Each structure stands twice: as structure tokens, then as C-alpha cells.
Amino acid sequence: GPPGARYAAVSAIGELGGPAAVKALGALLTSSDRNLVGTVAQALANVGSDDARALLIKAALAGGPASGQVIGALTQLRSPDVTAAMLEIARHGSPADRRAVLPQLVKSGDPDALAIAIGMAKSGSRQDKNEAITMLAGAGAPEAKAALLAIAESSHGPTRSQALDALANADPGDPAVAQLLADSLFSGRPDEAQSAAWVLGRIGTDDAREALVAALKDDELGVATAAMSALGQIGTPADVRAALADVVRTGWPELRGQALSQLMATGAPEALTLAEQALRGDDADLARNVAYSLSNLGGGDAQRLL
């Protein structure tokens, strides 16, 4: 019949329920129409009987073009045989089918699934590593966090940055994570340093702020620049204001204007004094930046200085 009528008929058979309905639906799971297979699989999941579950498991394990729709319906059911089937798919299924089952298994804390995800994160392809780190970050199990820490400690580049980002999201106050981020900040690897600075600014703990303040004096301009930008997420407590003032006085020339602009934007009392010194000094670029910031700042004091 027409597609709409076919799907309505499948739903009606599912509503009837019973062994005959399950048998009729099972005969349609081999159809080449993916949409039809998806409707059939959902109808079987709604029936939820042992026979219906067995048919879904058989179809999911067989793979095929419509296996994703079958697996989507199967994951709605809970039983040991469903878990066993999902683990089998995670181990030996196609990459697409594995991605459909593994996140749920990992999130549930299944030890076999955690082992699979940890193996992917350590030795899989770049895509495997990214997906595994995302899964482990959402697991919440101690084994998952330990695995992420081990990955961060033993890797470099995007894998390390992603693992640290995931750990910081899961537990922003963990000193071990803050230390690993600080190590990345001063690692000499520009991409790692920029990523670490941003995460440190986001978590905003005392350890994070201390690392970023120290990075303002780094010998690498890129590290100091990343730290300056990241500190903008934290706000301006006294130690940050003092560090920004030091940058204005003796820091990288390329950063003095930005540091002073951040100070003026917060209304720091020392900002106007430093701004006046910059306007009367011999650094033309800094004076230009300060004049622009003062014009945006407005107010009587800013007008007076200009």
C-alpha cells in the first residue's frame, strides 16, 4: 500500500499485540524500506514481549542497512539479553552500530563497555579517541575518570586537550586536573597552551588563577596572550588586577594596551593613573590604545584625561 497506509498498518498490528502480531511484525524486519523497518522495530519495542525482544536482538546482531533503526528501538528495552547483544555489537558491529550502543552502555557503568571505551581512547583512530573520551566524560564512574587522567598524562596534542577539557567539566575543583592544565600551559606546545588557558579561565579556581597569572610573565608571547584572554573569564580579584598592572608597566609591549583596557573596564582605581602615564609616555601605540579605551569608557575622569 501507500507508505502512510503501510506505517499505519504496522502501528495497528503493534497495538493488537499477541504472538500473531509479533510474528507478522518480525517478517517485516528484513524489508529494504528503512522507514518501515524503523516503524516495525518501534512497534516491537512497544509490545516488549520476550518474542518481540528476541526478534529485535536477532535483527540488530545481523546488521544491515536498517540496523541503526533496529538498535534504536532495542536500546529502549532493559534485560540481560539486550545488554549482552549490545556488548556484542560494541565489540564486533559496524562503526555506526557501535556508536549507537556504546555510549549508553558506558554511561550505565557496564565494566565491559568501559573497557572497550578505554581501549578506543588509548589506541583507536583519532575519531575513536574523540568519541571514547566524550563517552568516558559522561560516565561518572571512577574507572572512567582514572582512564581520562591516564590519557591526559600520557598523550599530547588534541587528545590531551580534549581529555583535560572533559575532566575539568566533570570535576572543576580537582587539583590534579588543574596541575595537568598548568603543565600544558607551560608545555611549549602552542595549541595545548591555548586550550589549557581557556579551560583554566573557565574553571576559575584559585589554582587556575595562579597558573594564568604566572603565565602573564612567560617568555613566550603566545602563552602570555592566551593567559590574558583567559583571565577575562575570571573577573578581576586583587591578584589579577595587580598582575595586569605589572603587565602595563613591564610586560610584553604587545599586551600592555589590552591589560590596561581590561583594568579600565573594571573600574580598577589604579587604571586611571596608569592610563595617564601611558598618554604622557613615549609609547605611541600604547597611547593610541588607551585613548580609544578612554573614549569608549566615558565619564568625567576619562574626558579629563583625554
Short mmCIF file of all heavy atoms in Angstrom, two decimals, residues 205-282:
data_model
loop_
_atom_site.label_atom_id
_atom_site.label_comp_id
_atom_site.label_asym_id
_atom_site.label_seq_id
_atom_site.Cartn_x
_atom_site.Cartn_y
_atom_site.Cartn_z
N THR A 205 39.28 28.39 39.42
CA THR A 205 39.68 28.09 40.79
C THR A 205 40.92 28.89 41.17
O THR A 205 41.56 29.53 40.32
CB THR A 205 39.97 26.59 40.95
OG1 THR A 205 41.05 26.24 40.06
CG2 THR A 205 38.75 25.76 40.60
N ASP A 206 41.29 28.85 42.46
CA ASP A 206 42.50 29.55 42.90
C ASP A 206 43.73 29.02 42.16
O ASP A 206 44.60 29.80 41.74
CB ASP A 206 42.68 29.39 44.41
CG ASP A 206 41.63 30.14 45.21
OD1 ASP A 206 40.96 31.01 44.63
OD2 ASP A 206 41.47 29.85 46.41
N ASP A 207 43.82 27.69 42.02
CA ASP A 207 44.97 27.11 41.31
C ASP A 207 44.99 27.56 39.85
O ASP A 207 46.05 27.85 39.29
CB ASP A 207 44.90 25.58 41.37
CG ASP A 207 45.17 25.03 42.76
OD1 ASP A 207 45.80 25.75 43.56
OD2 ASP A 207 44.77 23.89 43.05
N ALA A 208 43.81 27.62 39.24
CA ALA A 208 43.73 28.04 37.84
C ALA A 208 44.17 29.49 37.69
O ALA A 208 44.94 29.84 36.78
CB ALA A 208 42.32 27.85 37.32
N ARG A 209 43.66 30.35 38.59
CA ARG A 209 44.02 31.77 38.51
C ARG A 209 45.52 31.97 38.74
O ARG A 209 46.17 32.77 38.06
CB ARG A 209 43.21 32.54 39.55
CG ARG A 209 43.28 34.05 39.37
CD ARG A 209 42.29 34.76 40.26
NE ARG A 209 42.65 34.65 41.66
CZ ARG A 209 41.94 33.97 42.56
NH1 ARG A 209 40.85 33.33 42.20
NH2 ARG A 209 42.31 33.94 43.82
N GLU A 210 46.08 31.22 39.67
CA GLU A 210 47.51 31.34 39.94
C GLU A 210 48.35 30.96 38.72
O GLU A 210 49.34 31.63 38.40
CB GLU A 210 47.87 30.43 41.12
CG GLU A 210 49.32 30.51 41.56
CD GLU A 210 49.61 29.61 42.74
OE1 GLU A 210 48.67 29.27 43.48
OE2 GLU A 210 50.79 29.24 42.92
N ALA A 211 47.94 29.91 38.02
CA ALA A 211 48.69 29.48 36.83
C ALA A 211 48.60 30.54 35.73
O ALA A 211 49.60 30.84 35.06
CB ALA A 211 48.15 28.14 36.33
N LEU A 212 47.42 31.11 35.53
CA LEU A 212 47.26 32.12 34.49
C LEU A 212 48.02 33.40 34.81
O LEU A 212 48.62 34.02 33.91
CB LEU A 212 45.77 32.42 34.29
CG LEU A 212 44.94 31.29 33.67
CD1 LEU A 212 43.46 31.64 33.72
CD2 LEU A 212 45.37 31.02 32.24
N VAL A 213 48.01 33.80 36.06
CA VAL A 213 48.77 34.99 36.45
C VAL A 213 50.25 34.77 36.20
O VAL A 213 50.97 35.66 35.70
CB VAL A 213 48.49 35.33 37.93
CG1 VAL A 213 49.50 36.34 38.46
CG2 VAL A 213 47.07 35.88 38.08
N ALA A 214 50.75 33.59 36.54
CA ALA A 214 52.17 33.28 36.29
C ALA A 214 52.48 33.30 34.80
O ALA A 214 53.57 33.72 34.38
CB ALA A 214 52.52 31.93 36.89
N ALA A 215 51.53 32.85 33.99
CA ALA A 215 51.75 32.77 32.54
C ALA A 215 51.84 34.15 31.91
O ALA A 215 52.38 34.28 30.80
CB ALA A 215 50.64 31.96 31.89
N LEU A 216 51.33 35.18 32.57
CA LEU A 216 51.45 36.52 32.01
C LEU A 216 52.90 36.95 31.86
O LEU A 216 53.22 37.82 31.03
CB LEU A 216 50.71 37.53 32.91
CG LEU A 216 49.18 37.45 32.96
CD1 LEU A 216 48.64 38.43 33.98
CD2 LEU A 216 48.60 37.73 31.57
N LYS A 217 53.80 36.34 32.62
CA LYS A 217 55.23 36.69 32.55
C LYS A 217 56.04 35.66 31.76
O LYS A 217 57.26 35.67 31.81
CB LYS A 217 55.79 36.80 33.97
CG LYS A 217 55.13 37.88 34.82
CD LYS A 217 55.73 37.92 36.21
CE LYS A 217 55.07 39.01 37.06
NZ LYS A 217 55.65 39.07 38.44
N ASP A 218 55.34 34.79 31.05
CA ASP A 218 56.04 33.74 30.32
C ASP A 218 56.91 34.33 29.21
O ASP A 218 56.63 35.41 28.68
CB ASP A 218 55.03 32.76 29.71
CG ASP A 218 55.69 31.46 29.27
OD1 ASP A 218 55.90 30.59 30.14
OD2 ASP A 218 55.99 31.33 28.07
N ASP A 219 57.97 33.59 28.88
CA ASP A 219 58.88 34.04 27.83
C ASP A 219 58.27 33.94 26.44
O ASP A 219 58.81 34.54 25.49
CB ASP A 219 60.18 33.22 27.87
CG ASP A 219 60.99 33.48 29.13
OD1 ASP A 219 60.80 34.56 29.73
OD2 ASP A 219 61.79 32.61 29.51
N GLU A 220 57.19 33.17 26.30
CA GLU A 220 56.51 33.04 25.02
C GLU A 220 55.32 34.00 24.97
O GLU A 220 54.43 33.95 25.82
CB GLU A 220 56.02 31.60 24.82
CG GLU A 220 57.12 30.58 24.63
CD GLU A 220 57.83 30.75 23.30
OE1 GLU A 220 57.18 31.27 22.34
OE2 GLU A 220 59.00 30.37 23.20
N LEU A 221 55.32 34.84 23.96
CA LEU A 221 54.23 35.81 23.83
C LEU A 221 52.88 35.11 23.68
O LEU A 221 51.88 35.55 24.23
CB LEU A 221 54.49 36.72 22.63
CG LEU A 221 53.37 37.72 22.29
CD1 LEU A 221 53.10 38.65 23.47
CD2 LEU A 221 53.74 38.52 21.04
N GLY A 222 52.86 34.00 22.93
CA GLY A 222 51.60 33.29 22.73
C GLY A 222 50.99 32.80 24.02
O GLY A 222 49.76 32.85 24.22
N VAL A 223 51.84 32.33 24.95
CA VAL A 223 51.34 31.85 26.24
C VAL A 223 50.79 33.01 27.06
O VAL A 223 49.70 32.93 27.64
CB VAL A 223 52.47 31.14 27.02
CG1 VAL A 223 52.01 30.78 28.43
CG2 VAL A 223 52.91 29.88 26.28
N ALA A 224 51.53 34.12 27.08
CA ALA A 224 51.07 35.29 27.83
C ALA A 224 49.77 35.84 27.25
O ALA A 224 48.87 36.25 27.98
CB ALA A 224 52.16 36.36 27.82
N THR A 225 49.65 35.83 25.93
CA THR A 225 48.43 36.32 25.28
C THR A 225 47.24 35.44 25.62
O THR A 225 46.14 35.93 25.93
CB THR A 225 48.64 36.37 23.76
OG1 THR A 225 49.75 37.20 23.45
CG2 THR A 225 47.40 36.90 23.07
N ALA A 226 47.45 34.12 25.57
CA ALA A 226 46.36 33.19 25.91
C ALA A 226 45.93 33.37 27.36
O ALA A 226 44.74 33.34 27.69
CB ALA A 226 46.81 31.75 25.66
N ALA A 227 46.90 33.56 28.26
CA ALA A 227 46.59 33.76 29.67
C ALA A 227 45.80 35.04 29.89
O ALA A 227 44.83 35.08 30.67
CB ALA A 227 47.86 33.77 30.49
N MET A 228 46.19 36.10 29.19
CA MET A 228 45.48 37.38 29.31
C MET A 228 44.02 37.23 28.91
O MET A 228 43.11 37.69 29.60
CB MET A 228 46.17 38.41 28.43
CG MET A 228 45.43 39.73 28.34
SD MET A 228 45.93 40.94 29.54
CE MET A 228 47.64 41.14 29.25
N SER A 229 43.80 36.59 27.77
CA SER A 229 42.42 36.40 27.30
C SER A 229 41.62 35.54 28.28
O SER A 229 40.45 35.81 28.56
CB SER A 229 42.42 35.75 25.92
OG SER A 229 43.09 36.59 24.98
N ALA A 230 42.25 34.49 28.81
CA ALA A 230 41.55 33.59 29.72
C ALA A 230 41.18 34.27 31.03
O ALA A 230 40.14 33.98 31.61
CB ALA A 230 42.41 32.36 29.99
N LEU A 231 42.03 35.17 31.49
CA LEU A 231 41.74 35.86 32.75
C LEU A 231 40.48 36.71 32.64
O LEU A 231 39.84 37.01 33.66
CB LEU A 231 42.93 36.74 33.15
CG LEU A 231 44.11 36.00 33.78
CD1 LEU A 231 45.32 36.91 33.90
CD2 LEU A 231 43.73 35.44 35.15
N GLY A 232 40.12 37.07 31.42
CA GLY A 232 38.89 37.83 31.25
C GLY A 232 37.66 37.06 31.66
O GLY A 232 36.61 37.66 31.96
N GLN A 233 37.74 35.73 31.71
CA GLN A 233 36.60 34.92 32.14
C GLN A 233 36.45 34.90 33.66
O GLN A 233 35.38 34.59 34.18
CB GLN A 233 36.77 33.47 31.67
CG GLN A 233 36.90 33.29 30.17
CD GLN A 233 37.11 31.82 29.83
OE1 GLN A 233 36.17 31.04 29.84
NE2 GLN A 233 38.34 31.44 29.55
N ILE A 234 37.54 35.18 34.36
CA ILE A 234 37.57 35.02 35.82
C ILE A 234 37.06 36.26 36.53
O ILE A 234 36.47 36.19 37.61
CB ILE A 234 39.00 34.68 36.28
CG1 ILE A 234 39.40 33.29 35.77
CG2 ILE A 234 39.12 34.74 37.79
CD1 ILE A 234 40.81 32.88 36.11
N GLY A 235 37.26 37.43 35.94
CA GLY A 235 36.99 38.66 36.66
C GLY A 235 38.30 39.29 37.11
O GLY A 235 39.38 38.91 36.64
N THR A 236 38.22 40.21 38.01
CA THR A 236 39.43 40.93 38.42
C THR A 236 39.55 41.02 39.93
O THR A 236 39.44 42.10 40.52
CB THR A 236 39.45 42.35 37.82
OG1 THR A 236 38.20 42.98 38.12
CG2 THR A 236 39.66 42.29 36.32
N PRO A 237 39.79 39.90 40.61
CA PRO A 237 40.16 39.99 42.02
C PRO A 237 41.50 40.70 42.16
O PRO A 237 42.18 40.99 41.17
CB PRO A 237 40.25 38.52 42.46
CG PRO A 237 40.45 37.76 41.20
CD PRO A 237 39.77 38.52 40.13
N ALA A 238 41.89 40.98 43.39
CA ALA A 238 43.05 41.83 43.64
C ALA A 238 44.32 41.30 42.98
O ALA A 238 45.10 42.07 42.40
CB ALA A 238 43.26 41.97 45.15
N ASP A 239 44.55 39.98 43.05
CA ASP A 239 45.79 39.46 42.48
C ASP A 239 45.81 39.57 40.96
O ASP A 239 46.86 39.81 40.36
CB ASP A 239 46.02 38.00 42.91
CG ASP A 239 44.86 37.08 42.54
OD1 ASP A 239 43.76 37.60 42.27
OD2 ASP A 239 45.06 35.85 42.54
N VAL A 240 44.64 39.46 40.32
CA VAL A 240 44.59 39.62 38.87
C VAL A 240 44.82 41.08 38.50
O VAL A 240 45.55 41.39 37.54
CB VAL A 240 43.24 39.13 38.32
CG1 VAL A 240 43.11 39.44 36.83
CG2 VAL A 240 43.11 37.62 38.54
N ARG A 241 44.22 42.01 39.24
CA ARG A 241 44.45 43.44 38.97
C ARG A 241 45.92 43.78 39.11
O ARG A 241 46.49 44.52 38.29
CB ARG A 241 43.61 44.30 39.90
CG ARG A 241 42.11 44.22 39.65
CD ARG A 241 41.40 45.43 40.23
NE ARG A 241 41.70 45.64 41.63
CZ ARG A 241 41.02 45.09 42.64
NH1 ARG A 241 40.00 44.27 42.38
NH2 ARG A 241 41.35 45.33 43.89
N ALA A 242 46.55 43.26 40.14
CA ALA A 242 47.98 43.54 40.35
C ALA A 242 48.81 42.98 39.19
O ALA A 242 49.76 43.63 38.72
CB ALA A 242 48.44 42.95 41.67
N ALA A 243 48.45 41.79 38.73
CA ALA A 243 49.19 41.18 37.62
C ALA A 243 49.01 41.98 36.33
O ALA A 243 49.97 42.18 35.57
CB ALA A 243 48.74 39.73 37.43
N LEU A 244 47.78 42.43 36.08
CA LEU A 244 47.54 43.24 34.88
C LEU A 244 48.30 44.56 34.96
O LEU A 244 48.84 45.04 33.95
CB LEU A 244 46.04 43.50 34.73
CG LEU A 244 45.18 42.28 34.37
CD1 LEU A 244 43.69 42.67 34.39
CD2 LEU A 244 45.55 41.72 33.00
N ALA A 245 48.34 45.16 36.14
CA ALA A 245 49.10 46.40 36.30
C ALA A 245 50.58 46.17 36.02
O ALA A 245 51.25 47.01 35.40
CB ALA A 245 48.90 46.97 37.70
N ASP A 246 51.11 45.04 36.45
CA ASP A 246 52.52 44.71 36.16
C ASP A 246 52.76 44.57 34.67
O ASP A 246 53.81 44.97 34.15
CB ASP A 246 52.91 43.42 36.88
CG ASP A 246 53.12 43.61 38.37
OD1 ASP A 246 53.29 44.78 38.79
OD2 ASP A 246 53.10 42.60 39.12
N VAL A 247 51.78 43.98 33.97
CA VAL A 247 51.91 43.86 32.52
C VAL A 247 51.97 45.25 31.89
O VAL A 247 52.78 45.51 30.98
CB VAL A 247 50.74 43.04 31.93
CG1 VAL A 247 50.78 43.07 30.40
CG2 VAL A 247 50.79 41.60 32.42
N VAL A 248 51.12 46.16 32.35
CA VAL A 248 51.11 47.51 31.80
C VAL A 248 52.47 48.18 32.01
O VAL A 248 52.99 48.87 31.12
CB VAL A 248 50.00 48.35 32.45
CG1 VAL A 248 50.05 49.79 31.95
CG2 VAL A 248 48.63 47.75 32.16
N ARG A 249 53.07 47.95 33.17
CA ARG A 249 54.35 48.63 33.49
C ARG A 249 55.54 47.96 32.82
O ARG A 249 56.41 48.65 32.25
CB ARG A 249 54.55 48.63 35.00
CG ARG A 249 53.50 49.42 35.78
CD ARG A 249 53.87 49.48 37.26
NE ARG A 249 52.82 50.11 38.05
CZ ARG A 249 51.93 49.43 38.77
NH1 ARG A 249 51.95 48.10 38.80
NH2 ARG A 249 51.02 50.08 39.47
N THR A 250 55.61 46.63 32.89
CA THR A 250 56.85 45.96 32.48
C THR A 250 56.63 44.73 31.60
O THR A 250 57.59 44.02 31.30
CB THR A 250 57.66 45.54 33.72
OG1 THR A 250 56.87 44.62 34.51
CG2 THR A 250 58.01 46.73 34.59
N GLY A 251 55.39 44.45 31.22
CA GLY A 251 55.12 43.23 30.47
C GLY A 251 55.41 43.36 28.99
O GLY A 251 56.02 44.34 28.53
N TRP A 252 54.94 42.36 28.24
CA TRP A 252 55.12 42.38 26.79
C TRP A 252 54.50 43.67 26.22
O TRP A 252 53.36 43.99 26.53
CB TRP A 252 54.43 41.19 26.17
CG TRP A 252 55.15 39.89 26.31
CD1 TRP A 252 55.01 38.97 27.29
CD2 TRP A 252 56.13 39.37 25.40
NE1 TRP A 252 55.84 37.90 27.08
CE2 TRP A 252 56.54 38.11 25.92
CE3 TRP A 252 56.70 39.81 24.21
CZ2 TRP A 252 57.50 37.32 25.30
CZ3 TRP A 252 57.65 39.03 23.58
CH2 TRP A 252 58.05 37.81 24.12
N PRO A 253 55.23 44.41 25.40
CA PRO A 253 54.66 45.63 24.81
C PRO A 253 53.36 45.36 24.05
O PRO A 253 52.45 46.19 24.07
CB PRO A 253 55.76 46.12 23.86
CG PRO A 253 57.03 45.56 24.44
CD PRO A 253 56.65 44.25 25.03
N GLU A 254 53.29 44.19 23.40
CA GLU A 254 52.09 43.86 22.64
C GLU A 254 50.86 43.67 23.51
O GLU A 254 49.73 43.72 23.01
CB GLU A 254 52.33 42.57 21.84
CG GLU A 254 53.39 42.67 20.75
CD GLU A 254 54.80 42.38 21.28
OE1 GLU A 254 54.99 42.37 22.52
OE2 GLU A 254 55.69 42.15 20.45
N LEU A 255 51.06 43.47 24.82
CA LEU A 255 49.94 43.18 25.71
C LEU A 255 49.59 44.34 26.64
O LEU A 255 48.58 44.27 27.35
CB LEU A 255 50.25 41.94 26.56
CG LEU A 255 50.42 40.62 25.81
CD1 LEU A 255 50.72 39.49 26.80
CD2 LEU A 255 49.19 40.30 25.00
N ARG A 256 50.38 45.38 26.64
CA ARG A 256 50.15 46.45 27.62
C ARG A 256 48.82 47.15 27.38
O ARG A 256 48.09 47.45 28.33
CB ARG A 256 51.31 47.45 27.55
CG ARG A 256 52.62 46.89 28.08
CD ARG A 256 53.78 47.84 27.89
NE ARG A 256 55.03 47.20 28.31
CZ ARG A 256 56.24 47.74 28.12
NH1 ARG A 256 56.35 48.93 27.53
NH2 ARG A 256 57.31 47.09 28.52
N GLY A 257 48.51 47.42 26.13
CA GLY A 257 47.24 48.08 25.84
C GLY A 257 46.05 47.24 26.26
O GLY A 257 45.09 47.74 26.84
N GLN A 258 46.09 45.94 25.97
CA GLN A 258 44.98 45.06 26.34
C GLN A 258 44.85 44.96 27.85
O GLN A 258 43.74 44.98 28.40
CB GLN A 258 45.21 43.67 25.74
CG GLN A 258 44.08 42.69 26.04
CD GLN A 258 44.34 41.30 25.48
OE1 GLN A 258 45.26 41.11 24.67
NE2 GLN A 258 43.55 40.32 25.90
N ALA A 259 45.99 44.87 28.54
CA ALA A 259 45.94 44.79 30.00
C ALA A 259 45.33 46.04 30.61
O ALA A 259 44.50 45.97 31.53
CB ALA A 259 47.35 44.56 30.55
N LEU A 260 45.72 47.18 30.09
CA LEU A 260 45.20 48.43 30.63
C LEU A 260 43.71 48.58 30.30
O LEU A 260 42.92 49.07 31.12
CB LEU A 260 45.99 49.61 30.07
CG LEU A 260 45.69 50.99 30.66
CD1 LEU A 260 45.66 50.95 32.19
CD2 LEU A 260 46.72 52.00 30.17
N SER A 261 43.31 48.14 29.12
CA SER A 261 41.89 48.19 28.75
C SER A 261 41.06 47.34 29.70
O SER A 261 39.96 47.74 30.12
CB SER A 261 41.70 47.72 27.31
OG SER A 261 42.33 48.61 26.40
N GLN A 262 41.57 46.14 30.04
CA GLN A 262 40.84 45.29 30.97
C GLN A 262 40.74 45.94 32.34
O GLN A 262 39.71 45.85 33.01
CB GLN A 262 41.53 43.92 31.07
CG GLN A 262 41.33 43.05 29.84
CD GLN A 262 41.90 41.65 29.97
OE1 GLN A 262 42.34 41.06 29.00
NE2 GLN A 262 41.89 41.11 31.17
N LEU A 263 41.80 46.59 32.77
CA LEU A 263 41.77 47.27 34.07
C LEU A 263 40.75 48.41 34.07
O LEU A 263 39.97 48.58 35.01
CB LEU A 263 43.15 47.81 34.42
CG LEU A 263 44.15 46.84 35.03
CD1 LEU A 263 45.52 47.51 35.17
CD2 LEU A 263 43.68 46.35 36.40
N MET A 264 40.76 49.20 33.00
CA MET A 264 39.83 50.33 32.94
C MET A 264 38.38 49.86 32.87
O MET A 264 37.49 50.47 33.46
CB MET A 264 40.16 51.21 31.73
CG MET A 264 41.42 52.06 31.93
SD MET A 264 41.64 53.30 30.62
CE MET A 264 42.03 52.26 29.23
N ALA A 265 38.14 48.78 32.19
CA ALA A 265 36.78 48.27 32.06
C ALA A 265 36.20 47.83 33.40
O ALA A 265 34.98 47.83 33.59
CB ALA A 265 36.74 47.11 31.07
N THR A 266 37.07 47.45 34.34
CA THR A 266 36.60 47.01 35.65
C THR A 266 36.52 48.14 36.66
O THR A 266 36.09 47.93 37.79
CB THR A 266 37.54 45.93 36.21
OG1 THR A 266 38.85 46.49 36.41
CG2 THR A 266 37.64 44.75 35.26
N GLY A 267 36.96 49.32 36.26
CA GLY A 267 36.94 50.44 37.19
C GLY A 267 38.01 50.36 38.26
O GLY A 267 37.86 50.96 39.34
N ALA A 268 39.08 49.63 38.01
CA ALA A 268 40.16 49.49 39.00
C ALA A 268 40.75 50.87 39.29
O ALA A 268 41.01 51.66 38.36
CB ALA A 268 41.25 48.56 38.47
N PRO A 269 40.96 51.21 40.57
CA PRO A 269 41.43 52.56 40.91
C PRO A 269 42.78 52.90 40.29
O PRO A 269 43.07 54.08 40.00
CB PRO A 269 41.50 52.53 42.44
CG PRO A 269 41.49 51.09 42.81
CD PRO A 269 40.74 50.39 41.75
N GLU A 270 43.66 51.90 40.10
CA GLU A 270 44.96 52.19 39.54
C GLU A 270 44.93 52.39 38.03
O GLU A 270 45.91 52.84 37.43
CB GLU A 270 45.95 51.07 39.89
CG GLU A 270 45.55 49.69 39.34
CD GLU A 270 44.74 48.87 40.33
OE1 GLU A 270 43.80 49.43 40.91
OE2 GLU A 270 45.06 47.68 40.52
N ALA A 271 43.79 52.08 37.40
CA ALA A 271 43.73 52.12 35.95
C ALA A 271 43.91 53.53 35.40
O ALA A 271 44.64 53.74 34.43
CB ALA A 271 42.39 51.54 35.48
N LEU A 272 43.25 54.53 36.02
CA LEU A 272 43.35 55.89 35.50
C LEU A 272 44.76 56.45 35.67
O LEU A 272 45.25 57.19 34.80
CB LEU A 272 42.33 56.79 36.20
CG LEU A 272 40.86 56.55 35.81
CD1 LEU A 272 39.94 57.42 36.64
CD2 LEU A 272 40.66 56.82 34.32
N THR A 273 45.42 56.11 36.76
CA THR A 273 46.80 56.56 36.94
C THR A 273 47.70 55.99 35.86
O THR A 273 48.52 56.70 35.25
CB THR A 273 47.33 56.13 38.32
OG1 THR A 273 46.51 56.72 39.33
CG2 THR A 273 48.77 56.57 38.52
N LEU A 274 47.56 54.69 35.59
CA LEU A 274 48.35 54.06 34.54
C LEU A 274 47.98 54.62 33.17
O LEU A 274 48.85 54.77 32.30
CB LEU A 274 48.13 52.54 34.58
CG LEU A 274 48.72 51.80 35.78
CD1 LEU A 274 48.20 50.37 35.82
CD2 LEU A 274 50.24 51.81 35.72
N ALA A 275 46.69 54.91 32.96
CA ALA A 275 46.27 55.47 31.68
C ALA A 275 46.90 56.83 31.45
O ALA A 275 47.35 57.15 30.34
CB ALA A 275 44.75 55.58 31.64
N GLU A 276 46.94 57.66 32.49
CA GLU A 276 47.56 58.99 32.34
C GLU A 276 49.05 58.86 32.04
O GLU A 276 49.59 59.58 31.20
CB GLU A 276 47.33 59.81 33.61
CG GLU A 276 47.87 61.23 33.50
CD GLU A 276 47.42 62.12 34.64
OE1 GLU A 276 46.79 61.60 35.59
OE2 GLU A 276 47.68 63.33 34.56
N GLN A 277 49.71 57.93 32.72
CA GLN A 277 51.14 57.72 32.44
C GLN A 277 51.35 57.28 30.99
O GLN A 277 52.30 57.70 30.33
CB GLN A 277 51.70 56.67 33.40
CG GLN A 277 51.76 57.13 34.85
CD GLN A 277 52.13 56.00 35.79
OE1 GLN A 277 52.34 54.86 35.38
NE2 GLN A 277 52.19 56.32 37.09
N ALA A 278 50.44 56.42 30.49
CA ALA A 278 50.58 55.94 29.11
C ALA A 278 50.35 57.08 28.12
O ALA A 278 51.06 57.20 27.11
CB ALA A 278 49.59 54.81 28.86
N LEU A 279 49.35 57.95 28.39
CA LEU A 279 49.07 59.05 27.48
C LEU A 279 50.23 60.04 27.41
O LEU A 279 50.47 60.67 26.38
CB LEU A 279 47.80 59.78 27.93
CG LEU A 279 46.47 59.06 27.65
CD1 LEU A 279 45.32 59.83 28.29
CD2 LEU A 279 46.24 58.93 26.16
N ARG A 280 50.96 60.18 28.51
CA ARG A 280 52.07 61.13 28.55
C ARG A 280 53.43 60.47 28.26
O ARG A 280 54.45 61.12 28.29
CB ARG A 280 52.12 61.81 29.93
CG ARG A 280 50.86 62.60 30.25
CD ARG A 280 50.96 63.28 31.61
NE ARG A 280 49.71 63.95 31.96
CZ ARG A 280 49.31 65.11 31.48
NH1 ARG A 280 50.06 65.75 30.60
NH2 ARG A 280 48.16 65.64 31.86
N GLY A 281 53.39 59.15 28.00
CA GLY A 281 54.64 58.44 27.76
C GLY A 281 55.06 58.50 26.31
O GLY A 281 54.47 59.21 25.49
N ASP A 282 56.10 57.73 25.98
CA ASP A 282 56.65 57.78 24.63
C ASP A 282 56.30 56.55 23.79
O ASP A 282 56.87 56.33 22.73
CB ASP A 282 58.18 57.93 24.69
CG ASP A 282 58.84 56.84 25.52
OD1 ASP A 282 58.11 55.92 25.96
OD2 ASP A 282 60.07 56.90 25.73
#
